[in-house]
Amino acid sequence: MSSVVEQSADRSDAPARPGRRPAAVLQGVALALGLLMMIGGFALIAVDYRPYKIPTASMHPTLQIGDTVLARKVGGGAVGRGDVVVFRDQAWGGELMVKRIVAVGGDTVATTAADHRLTVNGQPVDEPYLATQGSQGESFSVTVPQGRLFLLGDNRVGSLDSRTHLEVDGGTVPATAVEARVEATLLPFGRTGLLDRTTAFDGFSGPRASDPGPLEPAAYATVAGAALIVVTSALGGVAGLARRLRRGRSS
């Protein structure tokens, strides 16, 4: 019994072990938050978006040859007039293509006889994104079947699009052929940025150009999280060096 009492008394006389300093706790919280933001933002982009390479000038000036774009994975029911989409249709050769939707099921899409201006349901469309205003090529008029889309390139004088395939379903493609909606240019870095949402079709009833997805906030979260990790780690390293220097002077 005496030995137990003596050991207990010895422990009570020992100095208390200091807890973690508040600065260290804050550093750990900041690192955890930064890691969560970086991984969460990157994971959202990786799951929701896919990169695509632009091989032709058919979407100039909106997209240029060699651009790498990020497109959000969506179905044909989630797109509308004005959206730039990635699609694949076997009637068009089965290759991945990028074009702009200008008409949906039930629309009558045509060009005016005088200046070949695009009309939808008899209403002229002001298209500020075109490479050459008022140049549509040969005149046409097509009523789009339900569940299908009519797509054109922004470079109307250099795009193989619905006008080239008028003999097959009026040049339309099934909405189910849509794989993704283009939302941003990733590369080259000088052209990095979100695609502007067009308001050209806002005066029409029915599906219009979609609002941006979560790409921008996810990208900001990824960058901010990485920056928080770097800054916090750097500050922690400076603080640790300062403590070691103070110990060296006092010893």
Side-chain angles (χ1 to χ4, degrees):
M1 289 291 292
S2 61
S3 61
V4 173
V5 172
E6 288 171 359
Q7 289 174 5
S8 176
D10 289 342
R11 287 196 185 97
S12 64
D13 292 338
R17 185 177 180 180
R20 293 189 67 187
R21 290 181 298 273
V25 174
L26 290 176
Q27 182 184 12
V29 171
L31 287 173
L33 178 60
L35 190 63
L36 180 63
M37 292 171 61
M38 183 178 70
I39 293 177
F42 182 81
L44 181 59
I45 294 173
V47 169
D48 265 12
Y49 292 84
R50 288 290 181 270
Y52 295 90
K53 191 86 167 181
I54 303 300
T56 71
S58 68
M59 283 299 295
H60 177 82
T62 305
L63 303 174
Q64 300 182 11
I65 296 177
D67 282 354
T68 298
V69 301
L70 283 178
R72 188 182 186 190
K73 294 184 293 183
V74 297
V79 296
R81 304 184 197 94
D83 280 331
V84 177
V85 297
V86 180
F87 66 98
R88 188 196 306 269
D89 186 19
Q90 294 304 320
W92 290 27
E95 299 293 329
L96 278 176
M97 305 188 76
V98 178
K99 306 292 179 187
R100 189 184 297 273
I101 299 171
V102 298
V104 298
D107 287 342
T108 296
V109 56
T111 53
T112 58
D115 56 5
H116 299 288
R117 186 178 179 184
L118 186 73
T119 66
V120 175
N121 300 328
Q123 181 178 335
V125 182
D126 182 18
E127 300 181 278
Y129 43 76
L130 292 185
T132 304
Q133 293 294 326
S135 179
Q136 304 287 342
E138 295 295 327
S139 297
F140 62 88
S141 179
V142 173
T143 298
V144 182
Q146 292 295 336
R148 300 185 71 87
L149 306 169
F150 197 90
L151 304 107
L152 298 176
D154 290 355
N155 181 12
R156 299 288 161 82
V157 297
S159 174
L160 300 178
D161 46 39
S162 287
R163 299 167 301 169
T164 314
H165 300 85
L166 291 175
E167 71 284 355
V168 181
D169 295 311
T172 64
V173 301
T176 54
V178 172
E179 296 188 6
R181 181 179 62 242
V182 178
E183 292 194 0
T185 302
L186 181 63
L187 296 171
F189 288 119
R191 288 179 43 76
T192 300
L194 295 175
L195 254 65
D196 292 332
R197 176 193 177 278
T198 182
T199 59
F201 300 88
D202 283 0
F204 296 84
S205 61
R208 301 177 297 180
S210 308
D211 291 322
L215 178 59
E216 186 174 24
Y220 279 131
T222 303
V223 174
L228 183 59
I229 291 172
V230 171
V231 171
T232 302
S233 300
L235 291 176
V238 171
L241 178 60
R243 286 195 298 272
R244 288 194 293 272
L245 289 175
R246 284 198 298 270
R247 292 194 200 104
R249 293 194 188 98
S250 60
S251 59

